[in-house]
Amino acid sequence: MSSSLKIIHLASAGMFLGNVIVSGVWSFMAERTRNHAVIQFSNRLVLITDFLFTVTGALGIVITGHLMASRYGGDTAHGWTTWSYRLLGVSGLIWAFVLLPIQLKLRVLLRRHDHITPEYVRLSRLWQIAGAVATVVPLPIIYLMVSKSS
């Protein structure tokens, strides 16, 4: 297995996990200020960094993971590879169909109002909960990749 492929895979995983964790913390801390301008700034940058780091990291993980899985008999040859694909897929689906739409709604609310509305607070809580789930779901992949057990 190519060392550079493994390095790219690990760097992609670091970008992906690092950004999803930092984005949640950053948003949480910004919202604690209750300052509309700070929250709006945070929301804008979370959207930008999600596209720069989360999407790039996820693509890097999937592409390099798929290339490396061929050395072990393919992506479904072992339980650990199958579960890794599933867990990353669940996280990606939560991001694409729950987190991103909520982030975009939050952005609209922040642009439409000069204060934090009850709808914003409700959606933000949902975003934090779904984001925590989307962050925790892929963490077992680290164990699966290192131990290569089912």
Side-chain angles (χ1 to χ4, degrees):
M1 177 180 330
S2 165
S3 291
S4 26
L5 197 57
K6 193 182 285 188
I7 290 168
I8 294 169
H9 188 72
L10 290 170
S12 297
M15 274 194 329
F16 173 79
L17 285 173
N19 192 63
V20 296
I21 291 167
V22 168
S23 291
V25 171
W26 192 5
S27 293
F28 177 76
M29 297 304 284
E31 289 181 4
R32 285 185 61 197
T33 70
R34 305 294 289 169
N35 181 315
H36 184 272
V38 170
I39 295 168
Q40 190 171 32
F41 178 76
S42 171
N43 175 272
R44 185 172 65 83
L45 288 183
V46 166
L47 281 166
I48 291 169
T49 59
D50 272 356
F51 284 108
L52 289 176
F53 300 110
T54 303
V55 171
T56 302
L59 287 172
I61 290 167
V62 171
I63 292 167
T64 58
H66 188 72
L67 292 170
M68 290 189 299
S70 64
R71 297 273 306 208
Y72 293 95
D75 54 358
T76 59
H78 301 282
W80 60 272
T81 53
T82 302
W83 275 106
S84 296
Y85 275 98
R86 286 178 183 166
L87 292 168
L88 189 62
V90 167
S91 183
L93 289 172
I94 293 169
W95 186 81
F97 294 107
V98 178
L99 294 172
L100 184 58
I102 291 173
Q103 279 178 267
L104 295 173
K105 287 177 187 175
L106 292 172
R107 184 179 177 122
V108 168
L109 289 170
L110 289 167
R111 285 182 169 176
R112 195 175 287 160
H113 304 283
D114 63 354
H115 62 281
I116 305 304
T117 65
E119 181 182 9
Y120 179 92
V121 172
R122 182 185 63 76
L123 286 171
S124 176
R125 284 189 185 130
L126 183 58
W127 185 85
Q128 288 288 341
I129 293 166
V133 172
T135 300
V136 169
V137 166
L139 291 179
I141 297 172
I142 297 168
Y143 171 77
L144 293 170
M145 293 292 108
V146 172
S147 70
K148 297 188 179 28
S149 64
S150 58

